[in-house]
Amino acid sequence: MSIGLAGLGDLYKCTSDVLGLPLTQQGLSLHQHEKCVNVLLDTTSTLLDTCTATRDIVLQLKEATNFLRSSLPSKMTDSSIESSISNYISSRKRIVKSAKGLVLSLKQVDEMLQPEKVLDNDHHQLTMPCKPKSNKWSLVSKLMQRREIEWEEQAEKGNELDNVDAALRAFCFSKTAEAKKLQSVDITLEALDKGVESIEKGLDSVSRQLIETRASLSSIISF
């Protein structure tokens, strides 16, 4: 997820650069593109709200992870570990449920950006005064191709949440080498904690770029 957020941050940076070009602002400021710009403004607001909600979910995951790590006993005489694992699993289920709600919100954003809803019926393509000398969209395309390779590599490795689940299952259902399996749980929780920190940084980056994009769109309206 952190790689995906990094890619989004880069993509929105390129988008802000394109929107900042004088020719882009001149073209989008034409009256027939007013609906398009307004929809994009509404979309950036929705995405910023989604970033805020996602940050809250990430914070909940961070707290659940740190609580479980702090409750892991140095010796297997602590009877509270079963309760701690149960609390972590319950928290994880609530977090996943909240995350699914955000996915639905993002699908609604995708629906908002369908061409027939963004553009007026009589203007199904953007009219630009002339072709810009520098094609920033080629940079966007190359950037997304590079990120796609990173996403595929990350998918093959699995994610930190699944690794924690696997370690917890191995610990709970095994009666041998418990100390070693407990250490494995701690290692995966540490990796998850680092992954959460990366996600937090990615969300901050995406939020900053969305704010810049919104500022560019607002500037186009007042062009």
Side-chain angles (χ1 to χ4, degrees), residues 99-119:
K100 288 181 178 179
L102 290 180
V103 171
L104 290 177
S105 298
L106 290 175
K107 287 182 178 179
Q108 292 175 355
V109 170
D110 185 61
E111 182 68 18
M112 289 169 58
L113 293 176
Q114 294 302 310
E116 63 273 13
K117 294 188 177 182
V118 174
L119 301 176

Side-chain angles (χ1 to χ4, degrees), residues 184-199:
S184 176
V185 171
D186 185 60
I187 291 173
T188 56
L189 285 171
E190 182 179 7
L192 176 58
D193 189 51
K194 291 180 179 179
V196 167
E197 290 181 358
S198 297
I199 291 173

Side-chain angles (χ1 to χ4, degrees), residues 23-84:
L23 286 175
T24 304
Q25 293 197 350
Q26 184 179 351
L28 288 176
S29 64
L30 298 176
H31 177 70
Q32 64 261 39
H33 301 320
E34 182 178 355
K35 177 181 177 181
C36 173
V37 176
N38 285 329
V39 170
L40 292 176
L41 270 173
D42 292 340
T43 301
T44 55
S45 295
T46 302
L47 290 175
L48 280 170
D49 291 341
T50 303
C51 281
T52 300
T54 304
R55 192 178 288 106
D56 292 338
I57 291 176
V58 169
L59 180 59
Q60 294 175 35
L61 178 59
K62 187 174 185 178
E63 291 175 348
T65 302
N66 290 338
F67 180 79
L68 181 56
R69 286 197 73 192
S70 65
S71 66
L72 293 179
S74 57
K75 296 181 180 179
M76 294 307 302
T77 56
D78 191 343
S79 60
S80 67
I81 187 170
E82 182 177 347
S83 176
S84 298

Side-chain angles (χ1 to χ4, degrees), residues 115-164:
E116 63 273 13
K117 294 188 177 182
V118 174
L119 301 176
D120 292 325
N121 293 332
D122 296 333
H123 302 94
H124 286 291
Q125 65 180 26
L126 297 180
T127 304
M128 303 298 291
C130 62
K131 185 177 179 180
K133 294 181 179 179
S134 61
N135 188 355
K136 295 251 180 180
W137 292 113
S138 63
L139 174 61
V140 173
S141 177
K142 292 178 181 178
L143 175 67
M144 297 310 295
Q145 289 175 2
R146 186 175 74 247
R147 289 296 184 185
E148 184 176 2
I149 295 174
E150 294 177 355
W151 295 335
E152 291 175 352
E153 292 176 347
Q154 184 64 30
E156 293 176 356
K157 297 178 182 177
N159 62 65
E160 292 86 350
L161 275 174
D162 289 341
N163 293 337
V164 170

Side-chain angles (χ1 to χ4, degrees), residues 5 11 16-17 20 22 27-28 42 79 83 97 107 130 134 137 180-181 183 203 209 213:
L5 286 171
L11 176 61
S16 294
D17 290 343
L28 288 176
D42 292 340
S79 60
S83 176
K97 183 177 180 180
K107 287 182 178 179
C130 62
S134 61
W137 292 113
K180 184 176 181 180
K181 287 183 171 58
Q183 182 181 20
L203 286 170
Q209 297 306 328
T213 299

